[in-house]
Amino acid sequence: MARQTGPLRARLEYAAIGALAAPLRAMERERAVRAGARLGALAMRLDRFDRPVAMRNLEIAFPGLSIAERLEILRATYRNWAGRWPSGCILPA
């Protein structure tokens, strides 16, 4: 069963995202994307709850890959998602 996010945690996460959004809006698009990628790398390190689930999913999807290879895919996914987040969700087109 999926882990449910409680209302307090959801509000704290929303506040953190909002706090990160303000400086990103003030940056040039390229710089914001690079900053987002760095934030993604940090998020991957801090995400203790969802990282094991993602690693298990990668193990199921790619049983022939080593743990290091699956970890690199996960790192790249976090960097890519967070790097695209500023240009797609925060900054005007």
Side-chain angles (χ1 to χ4, degrees):
M1 176 186 273
R3 180 179 48 84
Q4 298 296 313
T5 300
L8 178 60
R9 180 175 171 183
R11 288 179 188 212
L12 289 172
E13 288 176 359
Y14 183 80
I17 296 289
L20 293 171
L24 290 174
R25 280 191 200 109
M27 293 180 190
E28 293 177 4
R29 185 173 298 263
E30 278 188 38
R31 186 172 181 204
V33 168
R34 285 192 309 270
R38 286 191 298 274
L39 288 172
L42 177 63
M44 191 261 179
R45 288 187 190 102
L46 298 177
D47 189 8
R48 291 187 205 146
F49 297 108
D50 296 322
R51 188 177 53 226
V53 174
M55 286 297 289
R56 177 68 180 133
N57 289 341
L58 288 169
E59 181 181 0
I60 292 167
F62 304 107
L65 295 182
S66 68
I67 292 173
E69 290 169 318
R70 290 192 296 264
L71 192 56
E72 184 51 39
I73 290 171
L74 186 59
R75 280 188 195 110
T77 301
Y78 271 89
R79 285 190 309 260
N80 182 58
W81 177 81
R84 301 299 161 244
W85 174 62
S87 64
C89 299
I90 297 175
L91 300 173

